[in-house]
Amino acid sequence: MQDPKKYIELLARKLLPEINFTYAKSLSGRFLRRTSVIKSVFYSVRSRGVVIVGRRAHIVMKKHARIVFSKKAIFIVGILENLPEHTLIELADRATLYVDGVVGVNHGSSIVLGSDAIMRIGDHTFINERCNIRCRQHMLIGRNCAISWAVTIIDSDVHQIFRSGSPQQVHKDVLIGDRVWIGTNATILKGVKIGNGAIIGAGSVVTSNVPADSISAGSPASVKASDVTWLL
């Protein structure tokens, strides 16, 4: 890994492409003050990619766990907001996290992958503070997604459930399309597929599939509007 400040400067420009160069350098200075250079270098070398790790952020990778980077990918963990909470990325044995571009995870959030789990996060997707993501099997979050604060996403019941004596499926894939906006305090449960451009209302509990370009809200969530667009 080269000079961390150069990477932070590049990050500032990628996050806010409309800002001028002087402001990008100022913003990069603030990011750098929140960054642990030692952690960033260590995990960048280990994962053979660019990882920018905050001072209160932790990355735990068990045996044979991997973070796989696409070309020019940058994984930003716990530096975008200056909050007291710690950020956690934890990969169990043989788990794989694919980072397909510039991906940010804010303070207080945790992403935990179980053994053999596979998770992929698309370019310019940002996970805001205090989110809780648990992947036990397979999870996909597309490109240009805005995941608001305190969102929970889980692809598992965690515990075995029996119905009339028959065991139910514990894990089921969660697939979130491109340009999806998930509102604060929403919960996405196992087996859910969310179409491209969809909006999930604040506080919703999503238990079934959501069509593309729609608004879903409520507990359980249902479609409230169709043929919608939103600006990132």
Side-chain angles (χ1 to χ4, degrees):
M1 184 176 179
Q2 301 174 14
D3 181 2
K5 189 169 183 179
K6 291 182 179 179
Y7 280 113
I8 300 292
E9 215 164 88
L10 173 63
L11 168 62
R13 297 300 297 273
K14 278 183 169 288
L15 289 176
L16 298 169
E18 72 279 5
I19 64 179
N20 62 41
F21 183 70
T22 302
Y23 182 62
K25 289 179 72 70
S26 170
L27 189 62
S28 71
R30 277 182 276 167
F31 283 174
L32 188 62
R33 287 192 292 274
R34 301 171 189 166
T35 299
S36 168
V37 175
I38 293 175
K39 291 179 184 178
S40 298
V41 171
F42 177 81
Y43 285 107
S44 293
V45 170
R46 176 169 180 181
S47 55
R48 299 179 182 179
V50 180
V51 187
I52 308 298
V53 185
R55 297 179 186 276
R56 297 190 184 99
H58 306 280
I59 299 178
V60 179
M61 299 175 64
K62 299 296 178 64
K63 190 174 182 180
H64 302 306
R66 299 185 303 154
I67 301 177
V68 179
F69 292 82
S70 66
K71 188 176 180 180
K72 297 183 179 179
I74 304 175
F75 192 28
I76 312 120
V77 183
I79 69 167
L80 300 183
E81 298 290 343
N82 192 19
L83 298 173
E85 291 92 343
H86 290 258
T87 308
L88 173 66
I89 308 295
E90 183 175 323
L91 281 67
D93 295 344
R94 303 174 302 281
T96 304
L97 174 62
Y98 291 91
V99 178
D100 287 343
V102 179
V103 172
V105 181
N106 268 0
H107 278 87
S109 289
S110 64
I111 298 177
V112 178
L113 279 66
S115 297
D116 299 302
I118 298 174
M119 182 176 180
R120 186 182 294 271
I121 307 176
D123 186 27
H124 280 83
T125 283
F126 297 98
I127 298 165
N128 279 293
E129 59 266 24
R130 303 183 182 97
C131 289
N132 186 8
I133 298 176
R134 296 291 183 271
C135 176
R136 293 294 186 97
Q137 179 172 280
H138 178 239
M139 188 178 295
L140 168 66
I141 301 175
R143 298 170 296 171
N144 299 303
C145 291
I147 299 178
S148 192
W149 56 92
V151 167
T152 297
I153 307 174
I154 188 167
D155 68 349
S156 174
D157 291 327
V158 181
H159 303 288
Q160 181 69 68
I161 296 174
F162 294 85
R163 186 174 182 180
S164 301
S166 299
Q168 303 299 295
Q169 187 174 352
V170 178
H171 314 307
K172 200 170 181 181
D173 297 356
V174 170
L175 305 175
I176 299 172
D178 298 336
R179 293 195 71 257
V180 171
W181 176 13
I182 302 178
T184 181
N185 282 305
T187 299
I188 313 298
L189 296 178
K190 74 170 191 179
V192 166
K193 297 180 182 179
I194 301 177
N196 295 341
I199 300 171
I200 306 301
S204 299
V205 178
V206 184
T207 60
S208 59
N209 294 347
V210 176
D213 303 318
S214 68
I215 297 176
S216 288
S219 180
S222 59
V223 176
K224 305 300 182 184
S226 300
D227 193 25
V228 300
T229 58
W230 64 279
L231 299 177
L232 187 63

